[in-house]
Amino acid sequence: MRCAVWAAFVAAAAALMGGLVLGGATWPAVTAGGLATLAGLAVGDRWMREPGGAPVLCYHSISDEGWVPWASCIVSIETFERHLGVLARGGFTVMRLRDLVAIRLAGGRLPPRPVAVTFDDGYLDNWVAALPLLRRHGIPATIFVSLDFIEEGENPRATLDDRERGRVGPEAVGWAGYLNWAELRAMQDGGVFDVLPHGVDHGWVETGPRVVASLSAENWRRLAWVQWRVMAGSKAGWYRAATPAFVPLGTPVRENAPALAARAWDPDRGLESDESYAARVRGDLERSKRELEERLGRGVDIFCWPNNGTNDTARAIAAEVGYAATTGGRGENRPGEDPRVISRLGVGDRIAGWRWPAAEALGMYAALRVFQGNYYWFYLLVGFAALRRLHGLLEGWRRAPTADLSAAARPVAWRGD
Ligand SMILES: [Zn+2]
């Protein structure tokens, strides 16, 4: 909106000046018009640059293998390296999320152009690829893990570094799956990563009787929460199944929401009571905090809501449980915003719609600058969005004869944040 108004103002000012000059207006009129335009531009320029925002980036999977069924969650290794290059050399101050939060809570001043990097869900590739690349660029990060998705296993697995140094062959580096406790401990102790909680089961709940999809061979992996919901305990191996192991194909999927953000509905018991909902949220928040503190030996006071799903009640419970800040904000982490709320910027790949490495770097730079309050960069993002849309249309035409009708269920698919 701001950028549209500014573009309209600049266009109108240019048209006015053009009209005055070409229309043969007197010099005093041209001068008055010029001064008014300059004054407007000076005021508007301040409006277009409003420093103070502190972007917190949100990554998921860093991989070329793409085993995760939520395509928007995957960033290729080349794109990730391009992003790190921008963070390391683009004039930004990359901070630990906990330092950024502590300064905001204390009402202090953040360093110039602050950025923090976070990862959600605890994918194995964060150990295999993200950690070595972050270390190479000297960039700290935070990883949010869900307890039920931490794998069994006592030993850290091979990484990109091991492969590049010839310590293992390429076949020894695995990509699919989740992190184990040994890797999480090594990540935290290595000084690059802080490990913080992302809930126990990363669940969704059905919230009413309306059926919005039916489990099919095409959508069951994307709607994996339907399986997770009835899997007791560890869910880390769910993706290895070729077909749904717990809830069969053809099962109706009802209207739903992130589990910590809504009261659950059940065909027999109806809608969950407020008390039961609050107890469920409290149980998840307490267990997440306690287990990570016990296992990793460090205090935990930041929580990341699975699927970005939260509400005022859940936030109040989080504060009671001992979390100083939680994610799920929709602002820009500016000085006037509630410092207990962290707003994040989801990071994707193929900003122009196809693989174009230089565009990934430029797009990252523009997105960070817009978040930090320089709205001129927004025009570049609009350009990328237009290219992406055009590319999507062309791809759609190319694929039209085999279009997948289950795509109609997409609005309720888990977006994986
Ligand atoms: Zn998540």
Side-chain angles (χ1 to χ4, degrees):
M1 179 62 193
R2 184 190 298 254
C3 294
V5 170
W6 178 245
F9 174 77
V10 172
L16 172 76
M17 288 309 295
L20 285 174
V21 173
L22 296 177
T26 60
W27 279 113
V30 172
T31 307
L35 287 175
T37 301
L38 282 175
L41 289 173
V43 171
D45 180 64
R46 289 179 60 136
W47 192 49
M48 289 293 286
R49 281 193 283 190
E50 208 173 42
V56 175
L57 298 174
C58 170
Y59 284 96
H60 287 85
S61 170
I62 306 297
S63 171
D64 293 338
E65 305 282 314
W67 68 278
V68 178
W70 310 283
S72 63
C73 288
I74 308 162
V75 170
S76 75
I77 291 172
E78 182 175 9
T79 295
F80 186 60
E81 286 195 278
R82 294 270 181 170
H83 288 170
L84 293 182
V86 168
L87 290 174
R89 294 186 291 278
F92 299 103
T93 311
V94 187
M95 311 177 67
R96 289 180 183 282
L97 178 66
R98 62 181 153 93
D99 294 338
L100 188 149
V101 166
I103 292 174
R104 294 193 69 228
L105 285 169
R109 245 178 112 87
L110 291 170
R113 294 198 193 180
V115 185
V117 180
T118 68
F119 293 79
D120 283 11
D121 299 346
Y123 298 117
L124 170 61
D125 55 53
N126 292 185
W127 161 259
V128 171
L131 174 64
L133 296 172
L134 286 164
R135 193 186 283 134
R136 226 170 274 173
H137 285 86
I139 291 175
T142 296
I143 182 166
F144 293 108
V145 293
S146 301
L147 296 178
D148 281 357
F149 291 85
I150 297 173
E151 289 198 12
E152 298 296 322
E154 302 298 319
N155 299 306
R157 286 162 280 186
T159 68
L160 273 189
D161 264 359
D162 294 327
R163 188 178 78 185
E164 282 170 20
R165 290 175 190 174
R167 288 197 287 254
V168 298
E171 72 292 341
V173 179
W175 292 92
Y178 297 85
L179 294 157
N180 65 31
W181 282 110
E183 287 148 358
L184 288 171
R185 258 191 301 277
M187 285 165 92
Q188 174 147 298
D189 295 346
V192 172
F193 270 101
D194 289 324
V195 182
L196 291 169
H198 193 37
V200 173
D201 61 6
H202 208 296
W204 284 69
V205 289
E206 289 186 331
T207 54
R210 189 167 56 91
V211 172
V212 292
S214 169
L215 275 197
S216 67
E218 290 74 35
N219 71 15
W220 80 269
R221 291 175 67 80
R222 215 165 57 233
L223 296 170
W225 62 269
V226 176
Q227 308 299 317
W228 301 345
R229 211 155 54 97
V230 293
M231 292 169 76
S234 174
K235 298 154 184 59
W238 76 271
Y239 64 90
R240 295 196 187 99
T243 53
F246 293 87
V247 180
L249 297 181
T251 303
V253 179
R254 297 194 166 82
E255 53 195 305
N256 51 75
L260 300 183
R263 290 194 288 160
W265 178 88
D266 179 283
D268 301 322
R269 284 166 296 191
L271 203 58
E272 181 179 33
S273 69
D274 284 338
E275 292 73 28
S276 163
Y277 164 69
R280 187 161 59 75
V281 172
R282 180 179 295 273
D284 188 298
L285 290 165
E286 284 179 344
R287 193 178 143 204
S288 298
K289 181 170 164 63
R290 189 178 62 241
E291 271 198 43
L292 274 194
E293 287 179 342
E294 282 172 8
R295 292 272 203 160
L296 301 176
R298 189 193 279 177
V300 160
D301 67 350
I302 297 176
F303 184 84
C304 175
W305 301 103
N307 311 297
N308 239 10
T310 187
N311 56 43
D312 290 347
T313 306
R315 283 197 195 280
I317 297 170
E320 284 168 23
V321 167
Y323 291 103
T326 64
T327 60
R330 296 182 183 279
E332 280 129 10
N333 307 314
R334 290 181 173 279
E337 296 173 20
D338 186 346
R340 295 167 301 175
V341 175
I342 302 162
S343 298
R344 296 192 299 165
L345 184 59
V347 186
D349 206 341
R350 298 185 175 152
I351 192 164
W354 68 94
R355 199 171 283 293
W356 181 10
E360 309 304 339
L362 197 56
M364 161 66 79
Y365 185 84
L368 290 172
R369 298 299 291 126
V370 170
F371 204 100
Q372 289 168 339
N374 187 324
Y375 298 103
Y376 288 111
W377 288 99
F378 185 75
Y379 297 112
L380 185 65
L381 295 180
V382 169
F384 280 133
L387 281 177
R388 207 160 54 234
R389 205 178 165 84
L390 186 65
H391 184 258
L393 280 174
L394 294 171
E395 284 288 296
W397 285 331
R398 205 176 300 166
R399 289 185 189 158
T402 57
D404 170 15
L405 292 178
S406 70
R410 256 182 210 156
V412 296
W414 179 46
R415 290 178 302 281
D417 34 1

